Amino acid sequence: MTELYQALAQGLLIGATYGLLALGMGLVYGVSGVVNFSHGDFISLGMFMCLALYSAFAMDPYVSIIITVPLMIAIGALVYIFLIRPMVGHQFLMVVQLTLGLSLVLQNGILMVFGGEPARTPSFVESKLIILGDVVLRVPHIVAFVVSFALAIGLYIMLRSTDFGRSIRAVHQNAHAAALMGINVGRVQVLTFALGIGILALAAALLLPGTPIQPTQGLRYTVITLLVVVLGGMTNFVGIMLGGLIIGIAEAFGTIYLDGPIGLLLPYIIFVAIMLFLPKGLTWSSAR
Amino acid sequence: MLEIDNLVAGYGGVPVLRDINAKMAAGEIVGLLGANNAGKTTLINALSGMVKPISGRILFLGEDISKLTPQARVELGIVQVPEGRLVFPEMSIRENLLLGGINAHARKHRPQQMEKVIGLFPRLGERLTQSAGSLSGGEQQMLAIGRGLMAEAKLLMLDEPSLGLSPLFVQYIFEIIDKLHADGLTILLVEQNLNLTLRHAKRCYVLERGQVAVEGDAETVKNDPRTRSAYLGL
Ligand SMILES: Nc1ncnc2c1ncn2[C@@H]1O[C@H](COP(=O)(O)OP(=O)(O)O)[C@@H](O)[C@H]1O
Ligand SMILES: [Mg+2]
């Protein structure tokens, strides 16, 4: 029983951050039709930036975001303007190819700078624990959960009640009509992509404490994010957050209850099972 | 107010519109007629900046706007109510109206403008939180026009506002158009429906395969045999 609660709690906590990662990808897909296969490598990039800032200035990852978030937003904007935008409107697969290429470039770039050894970035909360009955929670996970949910709620409010948020939704629902309103569609697409990458910088800092990192980990994050986005119905806000929690819990159950490879496969098995019964993911029309 | 000089425009470098010349004075209501595929939508999209000109000029209030972006043109007051209405289906009526007034020029006066639009279409005011996708075709047309008015249009271009509406709604929408005209708004009315348009527009242009086939006041256009042939594609 203790194990069950432990797995549930751990899964929920990490799942919220997975949901946040997927919201970024879903927003970008919604306004540009781009699925970014280098998503996870940008998370890597964010983590290694934190590592670099720790090595140089002994900066805590939670403090580093002051630098990494604006930097990643700028990188995101440049990548969109110079690499992705020229491809949008062409074959969907060309954009996929491009972002896969970008993934390799980022991965190898990180490898060249930091080497291939797993590295850790200490944080002041890293080894702190909270014990609730028999369940042991790591403080970094709790921070990740709270911040991820707060950001998700903030994003939701932004989409609902600001002009920028409404522009994003307008471009998603009908880009031609959005342009006729005087919305600069190209600008909304750049800003959304940059925002999505900026979110990754935050998520990177949330996932980092206590987790060893290596340059090749990006693909794993990309795949998890894809699972969550597809599970959530691509652009459905609530569906995506729910998908994050489900994948987080599946992952925790897999590692706690099952040995070796089968355990690691559990999120995928759950994913396939849900998609078989709900091909459109966890969507319901009123939740947009 | 509007002057189109030898405009050639189309898609991917292939002209659809050839040598269009037209003029509109402030406060005028002008009809743009033509059979299906004649190029009416392409022309108002060229005026909106959604279709780039290949050659020729478009002057608005004396200024050459042919190189301006769609956003800049909306800010000047050139506003299109698109064919098929294209409301944002997953947003409420209120959000659709707010988006109508999102351009830098209109944004400041949105609350007042919203009052006016609701005054014109009380039916929209009664259900501001309802999603646009759940409205009937006629209500969506009201919303599309209301959304266009939110942009503080100086030139309002309506692309086939009667399309797919019941006769009662068509009558209602055209009463609204007459009212807007009476209040001084300059209106370009794009329609396939010949007789309806001739009753409401003082002057008309008839497009045939991307060229102006007939132009003049409603009576002239009505009696010109080329109008019929443009419609029948003879
Ligand atoms: N987006 C487009 N791309 C290529 N050709 C188009 C496009 N839109 C319209 N056309 C072509 O331009 C011509 C005029 O179309 P349109 O302006 O929609 O006519 P109308 O509004 O009078 O029915 C048609 O032959 C149509 O096939
Ligand atoms: Mg048309």
Side-chain angles (χ1 to χ4, degrees):
Chain A
M1 218 47 194
T2 308
E3 271 191 341
L4 177 71
Y5 290 136
Q6 182 70 38
L8 263 178
Q10 201 171 309
L12 271 180
L13 295 183
I14 283 296
T17 309
Y18 290 168
L20 183 67
L21 295 178
L23 284 180
M25 185 183 267
L27 276 179
V28 168
Y29 175 77
V31 298
S32 318
V34 170
V35 176
N36 177 12
F37 280 85
S38 57
H39 200 78
D41 297 287
F42 278 103
I43 301 174
S44 265
L45 183 62
M47 290 179 166
F48 277 93
M49 280 180 181
C50 288
L51 174 63
L53 287 167
Y54 179 80
S55 314
F57 309 110
M59 214 182 252
D60 195 277
Y62 292 153
V63 179
S64 300
I65 56 171
I66 304 170
I67 296 167
T68 60
V69 171
L71 201 58
M72 293 267 284
I73 286 178
I75 293 173
L78 293 175
V79 163
Y80 191 84
I81 292 170
F82 291 107
L83 295 177
I84 296 180
R85 180 142 79 190
M87 296 285 168
V88 170
H90 292 76
Q91 285 273 347
F92 178 74
L93 280 179
M94 279 174 72
V95 183
V96 172
Q97 283 270 352
L98 177 87
T99 60
L100 276 173
L102 194 59
S103 157
L104 291 176
V105 170
L106 284 171
Q107 208 177 75
N108 288 300
I110 293 171
L111 196 62
M112 273 164 59
V113 176
F114 294 92
E117 291 296 306
R120 280 182 57 254
T121 314
S123 163
F124 74 100
V125 296
E126 183 181 335
S127 53
K128 294 211 166 64
L129 302 172
I130 288 183
I131 297 166
L132 293 173
D134 298 331
V135 178
V136 182
L137 300 176
R138 293 183 47 217
V139 169
H141 286 172
I142 296 174
V143 173
F145 178 83
V146 171
V147 175
S148 297
F149 255 99
L151 280 172
I153 291 167
L155 262 175
Y156 189 81
I157 293 172
M158 187 273 283
L159 286 173
R160 291 276 142 181
S161 52
T162 68
D163 275 329
F164 178 56
R166 279 190 287 263
S167 305
I168 290 179
R169 286 160 64 218
V171 171
H172 166 56
Q173 291 175 29
N174 194 319
H176 179 80
L180 291 179
M181 301 299 106
I183 292 169
N184 185 335
V185 174
R187 190 165 148 264
V188 169
Q189 288 171 336
V190 173
L191 290 177
T192 307
F193 192 85
L195 177 72
I197 300 293
I199 290 175
L200 295 186
L202 280 170
L206 294 175
L207 291 169
L208 192 55
T211 313
I213 53 175
Q214 54 199 69
T216 50
Q217 68 189 357
L219 187 63
R220 191 187 141 252
Y221 284 117
T222 300
V223 172
I224 286 185
T225 308
L226 275 170
L227 290 189
V228 175
V229 174
V230 174
L231 207 53
M234 298 309 285
T235 56
N236 182 297
F237 206 97
V238 180
I240 286 176
M241 281 312 280
L242 202 59
L245 299 181
I246 289 175
I247 294 297
I249 291 171
E251 196 185 56
F253 271 64
T255 37
I256 291 180
Y257 281 108
L258 303 166
D259 283 333
I262 295 283
L264 295 178
L265 277 178
L266 191 61
Y268 305 91
I269 295 168
I270 301 268
F271 170 78
V272 171
I274 293 179
M275 293 311 284
L276 278 178
F277 291 102
L278 300 168
K280 286 186 172 164
L282 307 162
T283 47
W284 51 94
S285 57
S286 65
R288 289 236 175 159
Chain B
M1 178 171 231
L2 180 75
E3 189 179 331
I4 304 172
D5 280 346
N6 294 316
L7 180 70
V8 179
Y11 304 92
V14 182
V16 168
L17 302 173
R18 280 162 297 149
D19 286 318
I20 305 283
N21 285 289
K23 266 195 180 127
M24 279 180 78
E28 228 185 347
I29 175 163
V30 171
L32 179 61
L33 291 158
N36 198 17
N37 280 340
K40 306 181 296 296
T41 298
T42 304
L43 179 53
I44 70 163
N45 274 331
L47 296 177
S48 281
M50 301 300 291
V51 171
K52 298 276 166 284
I54 296 167
S55 64
R57 290 193 315 165
I58 304 167
L59 301 178
F60 183 70
L61 299 171
E63 191 191 339
D64 186 354
I65 59 158
S66 32
K67 303 231 156 40
L68 295 185
T69 60
Q71 302 88 258
R73 297 188 203 198
V74 172
E75 279 169 32
L76 286 176
I78 304 173
V79 176
Q80 178 188 148
V81 177
E83 184 176 341
R85 328 188 224 290
L86 310 188
V87 295
F88 300 109
E90 287 154 25
M91 285 198 241
S92 67
I93 291 180
R94 186 173 160 276
E95 288 178 304
N96 270 272
L97 293 176
L98 286 173
L99 278 164
I102 202 171
N103 74 75
H105 174 72
R107 197 178 288 186
K108 292 159 240 155
H109 319 121
R110 274 193 287 191
Q112 300 92 300
Q113 205 66 21
M114 178 104 70
E115 289 293 310
K116 276 197 217 166
V117 168
I118 290 171
L120 193 64
F121 298 111
R123 242 171 127 139
L124 295 181
E126 287 158 17
R127 41 184 102 171
L128 283 176
T129 55
Q130 196 175 322
S131 80
S134 69
L135 300 177
S136 74
E139 290 163 342
Q140 288 193 4
Q141 188 62 58
M142 291 183 207
L143 178 57
I145 294 174
R147 192 179 62 174
L149 294 172
M150 288 295 295
E152 306 204 336
K154 294 198 181 94
L155 166 64
L156 190 68
M157 308 184 289
L158 299 154
D159 197 350
E160 307 218 22
S162 72
L163 195 74
L165 301 193
S166 69
L168 218 62
F169 259 121
V170 173
Q171 197 190 339
Y172 174 74
I173 293 291
F174 274 78
E175 276 166 20
I176 294 285
I177 293 171
D178 285 343
K179 200 160 160 186
L180 292 171
H181 170 58
D183 288 345
L185 190 61
T186 312
I187 296 173
L188 180 62
L189 181 57
V190 176
E191 268 293 341
Q192 265 193 66
N193 189 326
L194 184 65
N195 293 322
L196 186 67
T197 309
L198 291 172
R199 256 184 277 136
H200 292 267
K202 307 284 171 298
R203 230 155 47 72
C204 290
Y205 292 86
V206 182
L207 281 187
E208 184 182 11
R209 272 177 260 126
Q211 286 180 301
V212 176
V214 189
E215 63 177 281
D217 56 47
E219 200 59 27
T220 316
V221 168
K222 190 177 191 169
N223 297 327
D224 195 312
R226 286 172 300 170
T227 302
R228 309 261 154 223
S229 71
Y231 264 82
L232 298 171
L234 297 173

